[in-house]
Amino acid sequence: MTGATLQAIRYQRGSLEIIDQLLLPHETLYIPISTLALGHDAIKTMKVRGAPAIAIVAALSLAVVLVDPSTVASGRLLTAQGAVVFIEESLEFLKTSRPTAVNLFDAAHKLAKGVREAGAIASAKGQDVVDKYLELAEKMLEDDVKDNMNIGRFGAEFILKVWKGGDDLRVITHCNTGSLATAGYGTALGIIRALAGQNKLTHAYCTETRPYNQGSRLTAYELVYERIPSTLITDSMASALLAQNPDKIAAIVVGADRVAANGDTANKIGTYQLAITARYHNIPFIVAAPSTSVDLNIGSGKEIHIEVRPAVEVTTLRGPVVEVESISKGSNDVVFKTHNGQDVTETIAVAARGIGVWNPSFDVTPAELISAVVTEKGVVLKEDGVQTFDMKTFLTSH
């Protein structure tokens, strides 16, 4: 049922390439990330997105810079202290690319701590500090894939355990949480992938995920790529889908940008409304997130800063132009307009001129509406009669 997993991040020491997700699904283009500025821009402009992937790309961007001949020639890495300062300053700069991504901040903290410890050794030289950073950053890439596969396994086991329906098992997901959002395999989409790999999944539904359309552009792209039976719906169709398929939808599975200590979860805008409809229809609502997305320093979702993005993301759409005649046929087999063998791409306005726009990137789903939080360490559940999760106790005991 599934084919080869998409590789969105290509890395070997001294070289980093990522798929430019702004061009998907119509063009698959790997772009090189050779400077801190390019890494920062890729994250800020959402050429790469998804909390785990953001952290990995930031870490590897600096890894590439540290072995670049121009950086070495600058002399800033000659001494251990100089190397530590350069790395810490670089990480602080990269953190400004996405202020809500807890994975990015967590990765930066761990990397900075590691190089400070390496630099504190009396005999340490600049290269020793650089080598330590490279070791830590490259291990993050390796560990993320392993963690995602564990999330997929634990999540699939949980769904199969609580599923009371028959062989027709279907799942809904929101935004993009697959290989494009992580170092590989995915979190929520990893659970779907694990179910499909066991031949337990009949169908997956992905929401369009306005206004940036990560569902229609990215998740749909991955589902088609891996040959998982799937259907695209708009965000506003989810409740109708649940109402018309009461015995077929096993769960709604989403990712997380940040999970508070009590389980409140910040995720792509539209997640909260899915949790509400899941509760009404008595469908498990599952959050899939690595432990690095859990911020034990904040007690609840009220403390999570929500990024508000530009209005133009709501009022415009960009994509390849299609021939009008092909649209009238009513199928998805549209004909793209080309020029010199290349698709013609345009940005169009889809809203009335002068209308005000509110464009929060995330919303916060209260823990009360979440059935389970699936991490690489296992499934976190609430105690009987308790409306919140004890994330700290779970993570420190596993």
Side-chain angles (χ1 to χ4, degrees):
M1 183 177 290
T2 59
T5 300
L6 184 69
Q7 185 180 14
I9 300 172
R10 291 177 175 173
Y11 172 81
Q12 59 182 12
R13 186 165 292 187
S15 174
L16 172 64
E17 293 182 330
I18 63 169
I19 291 180
D20 185 345
Q21 296 186 27
L22 297 178
L23 302 179
L24 292 175
H26 308 292
E27 180 181 0
T28 303
L29 177 68
Y30 285 88
I31 57 174
I33 304 295
S34 56
T35 66
L36 294 177
L38 287 173
H40 187 285
D41 177 75
I43 297 168
K44 187 174 181 62
T45 62
M46 298 182 75
K47 292 183 177 70
V48 61
R49 23 76 44 219
I54 286 170
I56 297 298
V57 168
L60 296 180
S61 297
L62 179 51
V64 170
V65 169
L66 289 173
V67 298
D68 185 87
S70 64
T71 308
V72 176
S74 72
R76 296 196 63 182
L77 306 178
L78 286 176
T79 67
Q81 185 58 33
V84 169
V85 170
F86 179 83
I87 290 171
E88 289 188 320
E89 289 178 350
S90 299
L91 290 172
E92 287 301 313
F93 169 68
L94 289 166
K95 282 163 59 176
T96 64
S97 63
R98 184 62 62 85
T100 58
V102 64
N103 300 62
L104 172 57
F105 281 66
D106 180 74
H109 171 74
K110 290 176 179 175
L111 291 165
K113 181 174 182 290
V115 297
R116 282 197 298 269
E117 291 174 352
I121 299 173
S123 60
K125 298 180 175 61
Q127 189 59 49
D128 297 321
V129 174
V130 170
D131 289 343
K132 185 62 177 180
Y133 180 90
L134 296 174
E135 173 193 333
L136 293 172
E138 290 167 359
K139 190 173 187 302
M140 284 183 175
L141 175 64
E142 178 183 345
D143 288 348
D144 188 65
V145 176
K146 292 179 180 177
D147 289 346
N148 291 336
M149 295 186 74
N150 283 330
I151 289 172
R153 176 169 59 87
F154 286 128
E157 289 174 355
F158 177 75
I159 289 175
L160 293 173
K161 180 180 179 180
V162 301
W163 173 235
K164 303 303 181 184
D167 293 335
D168 192 356
L169 187 157
R170 309 182 185 191
V171 175
I172 299 174
T173 192
H174 184 60
C175 197
N176 175 256
T177 57
S179 296
L180 292 168
T182 63
Y185 200 77
T187 54
L189 197 54
I191 294 175
I192 291 174
R193 182 175 286 114
L195 288 168
Q198 299 175 42
N199 293 319
K200 299 295 186 181
L201 180 75
T202 305
H203 210 85
Y205 297 92
C206 62
T207 59
E208 183 182 36
T209 320
R210 286 280 292 148
Y212 229 68
N213 298 316
Q214 291 98 327
S216 59
R217 292 190 302 108
L218 308 179
T219 299
Y221 176 85
E222 289 199 52
L223 290 168
V224 170
Y225 184 94
E226 303 209 15
R227 302 179 184 178
I228 295 175
S230 50
T231 297
L232 172 67
I233 63 172
T234 66
D235 298 4
S236 54
M237 295 176 183
S239 294
L241 180 65
L242 291 176
Q244 293 179 27
N245 296 274
D247 301 320
K248 295 180 180 179
I249 308 297
I252 296 178
V253 186
V254 301
D257 190 75
R258 180 173 293 197
V259 180
N262 72 340
D264 290 350
T265 297
N267 192 47
K268 182 55 55 184
I269 192 73
T271 302
Y272 184 18
Q273 65 190 25
L274 286 173
I276 293 171
T277 194
R279 172 60 60 87
Y280 180 81
H281 289 93
N282 197 30
I283 301 294
F285 185 84
I286 300 168
V287 171
S291 58
T292 51
S293 292
V294 180
D295 190 346
L296 297 178
N297 294 316
I298 56 175
S300 74
K302 294 179 181 179
E303 301 175 56
I304 298 176
H305 169 72
I306 301 298
E307 176 187 7
V308 177
R309 294 188 61 83
V312 69
E313 293 179 0
V314 177
T315 59
T316 64
L317 286 174
R318 182 172 178 79
V321 179
V322 300
E323 299 287 356
V324 176
E325 293 79 6
S326 68
I327 299 176
S328 62
K329 297 178 181 178
S331 72
N332 193 33
D333 298 323
V334 295
V335 177
F336 293 102
K337 185 176 292 186
T338 61
H339 178 71
N340 293 331
Q342 299 292 320
D343 289 343
V344 176
T345 301
E346 292 184 1
T347 299
I348 62 169
V350 294
R353 296 179 183 180
I355 187 66
V357 174
W358 180 54
N359 184 22
S361 187
F362 307 98
D363 55 29
V364 177
T365 300
E368 179 183 354
L369 298 177
I370 299 171
S371 306
V373 179
V374 182
T375 76
E376 77 280 8
K377 300 176 183 292
V379 180
V380 192
L381 299 173
K382 289 173 279 194
E383 297 289 340
D384 291 341
V386 179
Q387 298 297 326
T388 59
F389 295 87
D390 186 349
M391 299 302 298
K392 183 176 181 179
T393 297
F394 179 86
L395 293 179
T396 54
S397 63
H398 286 73

